[in-house]
Amino acid sequence: MDTIMNPFSSSTRLRDMIRAIRACKTAAEERAVVRKECASIRASINENDHYYRHRNLAKLMFIQMLGYPTHFGQMECLKLIASSGFPEKRIGYLGLMLLLDERQEVLMLVTNSLKQDLNHTNQYIVGLALCALGNICSAEMARDLAPEVERLLQFRDPNIRKKAALCSIRIIKKVPDLAENFINAAAALLKEKHHGVLITGVQLCTDLCRVSSEALGFFRKKCMDALVKTLKDVVNSPYTPEYDIAGIADPFLHIRLLKLLRVLGQGDADASDAMNDILAQVATKADTNRNAGNAILYECVETIMSIEDNGGLRVLAINILGRFLSNRDNNIRYVALNMLMKAISVDTQAVHRHRATILECVKDSDASIRKRSLELIYLLVNETNVKPLTKELIDYLEVSDLEFKGDLTAKICSMVEKFSPDKIWYIDQMLKVLSEAGNFVKVEVCHALIVIISNAADLHGYTVRALYKAFQASDEQESLTRVAVWCVGEYGDMLVNNAGMLDIEDPVTVTESDAVDLVETAIKRHTSDATTKAMALVALLKLSSRFPSCSERIKEIVVQHKGSFLLELQQRSLEFNSIIEKHTNIRSALVERMPVLDEATFSGRRAGSVSTAVSASPGPSTGASLKVPNGVSKPAAAPLVDLLDLSSDDNPVPSSSGSDFLQDLLGVDLSPAATQSGTQPSKSGTEVLLDLLSIGSPVQQSSSPVADIFSSNIATKAPASPLHGLTSLATQPVLAASPPAASTKAASPIIDLLDGLAPVPSIPEKNGPAYPSVVAFESSSLRITFDFSKPPGNPQSTVIQATFTNLSSNNYTDFIFQAAVPKFLQLHLDPASGNTLPAGANSNLTQTLRVTNSQHGKKSLVMRIRISYKASGKDVLEEGQISHFPRDL
Amino acid sequence: MIRFILLQNRQGKTRLAKYYVPLEDSEKHKVEYEVHRLVVNRDPKFTNFVEFRTHKVIYRRYAGLFFSLCVDITDNELAYLECIHLFVEILDHFFSNVCELDLVFNFHKVYLILDEFILAGEIQETSKRAIIERLGELEKLD
């Protein structure tokens, strides 16, 4: 051959370039060599130098393999393909396959060359074209060239036939519509004796069955016997050195045939029946000492599992898997695990027998085996075995590899959640997981745990104590910290006073300051992220009310974050500080326990965004009966309890001048209204805050009329639940909810605006039909009786006279009664007759409530109430729902 | 089906990369990097299979070279392991005692051999002798 024509033998040869690149000591040197080489190749391309074209392209392929861009060589491929000689075409097609793929437009240009080469007289050139087509064919090319390929399936040379068969696979995958054209030719290939052609033919048939049901039917009908016979021949063939691998004749062909039989037998009893004997023969005859033999056995087992049921064969298959599982070769164990996953749907009991072995595999040092077996174990979990399995896995969690912990944790959490027999077990297991691998626990899992804890009222004390202990033992786990902080915030009092002690527990002695220590550790730890710190801040606020003695210390901790770089923390720190400092009278109401989180809502929402499990507000307690509408979530995924946002955006009163930072912060200032009404001195921030938080204000004898007015005002707007309020308040302007004129005769516009600003005389109008009195609320310490009357001419309104009776032996001071009603009702609270309620049944307090029922006649009254007072120096809070009002009110 | 075949040395230098599914160049480099990282530190006693994204990589180490096949998750792992070995035997036969340098300097021939062994992601010929004979014929044409 001419030296100029030979691509690899002239002056700057490919070999020299590779040497030069290999000689480079640094990456920079290599880049320089490649750059130089690319420049000269580009120059050569520009000169249209066809002598060095294939050598240049060969160099480019090497450069491409090193990871440098080589797109400028694409057109050279096409030129080489269009040239006449085999060496040029060979490099051209090779370049085509390496430098281009089916998505490039340039490829369109090559279709014509391919067509010519597929019809070339030189069979080696036909082979090159088929090879290129098989590797990079696009849908358009498939359509254009399918007839050529179809014809080549009958070419005299087997080398071309087998290439054409594999090319056809690519074509029918790209354009499934073309499948029917290939069915007959493919069936003919199954009769071939040449192994290469036969194996490609079998493969083509398998793929045809996948894309075309017509092909599937055809092969089932016409080829079953022939295929079974072919497999029999291969299985029983004498030693053939040409195809021998480890003493087995052509394992690849075995496997391909078994695979096609599987496709044909699946869902067809007759076809399955026809192959039973040969499958049994393959399964018993395979040599299990060699990888090749095991490969055949493995394929055979898979076919047995997939085809229509034959009990005997399946027992055989499961036994083979059992043997595989105890094999010392990891590869064999891996495939056994893989296959057992499929076997579960066929015979769960049989797989369960191997549970102990599979569990051992979870602890294997090989990640691939661990992963497979963990998935398998997960499928095997049920109610009866969840406890031992979980124990095993959690024990293993302790010693497992770091990179495996994520998977393992996720699976444990998932199975605990799915199959836990009771809540205490669930909580116990989750605490173990959190302590062991809290950093790997997903945030949704933590939220689910919190929801569960919140719903397990009798376990609150137990949980918070267990968490406290767990946190002392391992405080480096983020998720554990979060859950612990949340629970201490909610149930801190139970931690200290050991409330709700279970028999199984060891008592712990935790002081209030210990509990605060825990939260302080969490908030000060460097590894804590913003969410954890935010949760800790809220917990601190809550503890400041639960533990008045630690209030000062908590304040100091909170204040430290007022300089935080995180806006959220900074803002909360300032707000909470203000609450602790200035608003002790409302603090306890503000930070009382979260309402029980609704499990159904949570699980519905869980699929989606960040759960609001921790961002629900600690507003007035709402029972579980009030369902939060699905999909209600905070617009901003602020991790923090959005205490003060509750109603900041739905107050229509425009902001004017802010005297109090809180007012400013919240964008409201009601003082102009107050001054205009000329009633009393301007209010402190308390009322505004109260108003905004819609938690009701103290109705005290000593408080100013303005405060009273606000209290009634609040009652009107107090939403049924804080979450509810999130959605409903925006559409229901707070202050515009003006009651019918009946109760506000002398109302000026502003008074109107403020909804009953004028002190309403507490003389109940004695009119309308008589209603029986009801005992609205009764606890061991307090009774409330309601007397009803209707003002004349206004059936929607009801005047309720509430009478409070102290049933204990202590005097109550700072007595406050609050009420909230659903949206269809409007409520006014008049000032109570006093704020101290002496002991004894003969001294009462009374308070008048005015309710307007906009759905009069359709819905009856319903009300949520809360009473707070001080009894012998301790804050007491009582709550209740009243739904047994007389009808027609 | 085979999605790609990689030959890499222990340092992660790619000696052969054949893709049967279209991938962007940047994606190819990422895949090569990731597969190398997956296989290079595995203990010889471990399985020859690692899960890779939604597929499976079947690899085998010969001296300093890793032969990795990425196949569908449902494919027969043991068969592809055997397939790698057959390919190595063919290379060994063709280059008579193959070493990494043979593959570096004759990379285009390695592709030629591979194209006679695997096409469109499927095995084309299982007879070592048939492939060697065919390669001999092609050599004569060059």
Side-chain angles (χ1 to χ4, degrees), chain A residues 390-410:
Chain A
T390 309
K391 186 182 178 311
E392 282 275 349
L393 293 182
I394 290 180
D395 287 349
Y396 178 60
L397 190 58
E398 221 171 302
V399 291
S400 66
D401 280 2
L402 216 53
E403 64 261 37
F404 189 50
K405 279 196 167 134
D407 273 352
L408 192 56
T409 312

Side-chain angles (χ1 to χ4, degrees), chain A residues 572-585:
Chain A
R572 296 309 160 203
S573 160
L574 287 166
E575 288 164 359
F576 292 175
N577 184 35
S578 163
I579 291 169
I580 297 171
E581 205 164 58
K582 296 184 197 154
H583 306 298
T584 37
N585 51 342

Side-chain angles (χ1 to χ4, degrees), chain A residues 2-21:
Chain A
D2 186 346
T3 45
I4 298 169
M5 288 304 287
N6 188 327
F8 311 119
S9 57
S10 61
S11 55
T12 46
R13 295 174 306 171
L14 173 67
R15 199 164 260 279
D16 295 333
M17 184 195 79
I18 296 176
R19 278 215 186 91
I21 289 174

Side-chain angles (χ1 to χ4, degrees), chain A residues 1 8 15 18 22 58 62 64-65 67 86-87 90 94 97-98 101-103 123-124 131 134-135 159 162-163 166 170 173 194 196 199-200 203 242-243 245 250 252 255-256 259 291-292 294-295 298-299 330-331 334-335 338 365-366 368-369 371-372, chain B residues 1 13-18 20 22-25 28-29 42 45-51 56 74-83 86 101 104-108 111-112 115-116 119-120 122-130 134 137-138 141-142:
Chain A
M1 187 148 295
F8 311 119
R15 199 164 260 279
I18 296 176
R22 282 178 57 80
F62 189 81
Q64 201 251 4
M65 200 154 61
F86 178 82
R90 185 172 81 77
L94 191 54
M97 289 186 279
L98 290 179
D101 64 50
E102 61 182 271
R103 289 164 307 181
Q123 61 121 326
Y124 294 101
C131 181
N135 288 346
N159 280 313
K162 65 188 187 192
K163 283 192 164 75
L166 293 181
R170 174 99 182 187
K173 275 185 184 165
H194 186 285
I199 197 171
T200 55
Q203 187 61 44
E242 203 177 338
Y243 296 104
I245 287 176
D250 210 342
F252 299 104
I255 288 164
R256 288 281 174 267
K259 202 171 185 176
N291 179 55
N294 283 324
Y298 175 44
E299 195 72 32
N330 275 334
N331 287 342
Y334 176 90
V335 298
N338 215 2
S365 52
D366 183 353
S368 298
I369 290 198
K371 209 169 162 193
R372 280 284 128 237
Chain B
M1 110 179 229
K13 281 250 186 261
T14 303
R15 294 306 179 204
L16 173 129
K18 184 87 177 169
Y20 297 101
L23 286 179
E24 295 290 337
D25 275 354
K28 285 181 184 171
H29 298 149
R42 281 176 64 86
K45 284 201 299 287
F46 286 1
T47 55
N48 294 86
F49 324 128
V50 267
E51 271 147 59
K56 231 176 329 199
T74 52
D75 278 334
N76 187 326
E77 299 90 349
L78 300 176
Y80 280 115
L81 201 57
E82 208 56 57
C83 172
L86 183 57
L101 278 187
V104 173
F105 285 103
N106 296 296
F107 73 94
H108 49 99
Y111 281 111
L112 189 71
D115 283 341
E116 289 300 322
L119 179 65
E122 301 291 352
I123 296 174
Q124 182 190 162
E125 178 58 72
T126 52
S127 160
K128 193 163 65 177
R129 204 179 75 199
R134 173 86 178 167
E137 291 166 30
L138 292 175
L141 293 170
D142 242 345

Side-chain angles (χ1 to χ4, degrees), chain A residues 450-464:
Chain A
I450 286 178
V451 172
I452 295 281
I453 294 174
S454 146
N455 276 285
D458 47 334
L459 296 175
H460 286 168
Y462 169 76
T463 309
V464 70

